Amino acid sequence: MPLSEHEQRLLEEMERSLYQNDADFVAKVGGKRARPAYRSIVLGILVAVIGVAVLVTGVFVQLPIVGILGFVIMFGGVLLAIAPGKRVAIDPDAAASGSSGKPTRGQPGFMDRMNDRWDKRQDGQQ
């Protein structure tokens, strides 16, 4: 079911308010993704394979300490492989389109207006 014109205007106003008031949040969520660290992925897979080999060797020679050591090595390799890459720094002011992020004095913000409307509805006014 499509949104009515009134609902579309409210949605657009909410989006503008989000970009203006929550520049840090927008920078974190809408920012560039972390670049995959291919070197750590390959190294992690290699370490995990070595860990599996040590684990199997520990089972084969029936030494639990070698099997535990193999599991720890394998687990460390997996953690190394799935570790996030480095993030690109983003300027929060760029996400806010040059806006200061706060409503000017005397002009209520979007959330203030929505809270006022909610209070009026709860009081029986419309």
Side-chain angles (χ1 to χ4, degrees):
M1 179 167 71
L3 297 175
S4 68
E5 290 181 26
H6 177 68
E7 291 171 333
Q8 288 177 349
R9 283 193 307 268
L10 280 176
L11 181 62
E12 289 171 0
E13 189 173 344
M14 288 171 64
E15 288 175 349
R16 281 193 304 271
S17 176
L18 175 68
Y19 282 113
Q20 289 175 353
N21 296 335
D22 295 333
D24 294 334
F25 175 74
V26 171
K28 288 178 185 174
V29 173
K32 294 183 181 177
R33 298 259 181 217
R35 186 173 153 248
Y38 296 111
R39 180 176 288 172
S40 66
I41 292 172
V42 170
L43 183 61
I45 291 172
L46 182 65
V47 169
V49 168
I50 291 171
V52 169
V54 173
L55 177 67
V56 170
T57 302
V59 170
F60 183 69
V61 295
Q62 296 180 352
L63 289 174
I65 191 71
V66 176
I68 293 171
L69 180 66
F71 178 79
V72 169
I73 292 171
M74 179 182 63
F75 186 70
V78 169
L79 288 180
L80 181 63
I82 65 171
K86 297 190 185 240
R87 291 198 167 267
V88 178
I90 298 173
D91 184 16
D93 293 334
S97 301
S99 174
S100 65
K102 295 183 181 174
T104 59
R105 190 173 279 246
Q107 177 186 2
F110 174 74
M111 291 306 295
D112 293 330
R113 291 192 311 268
M114 294 303 286
N115 285 334
D116 290 341
R117 288 176 63 185
W118 177 258
D119 292 338
K120 287 179 185 177
R121 284 185 185 158
Q122 294 301 316
D123 293 339
Q125 300 173 3
Q126 197 117 21

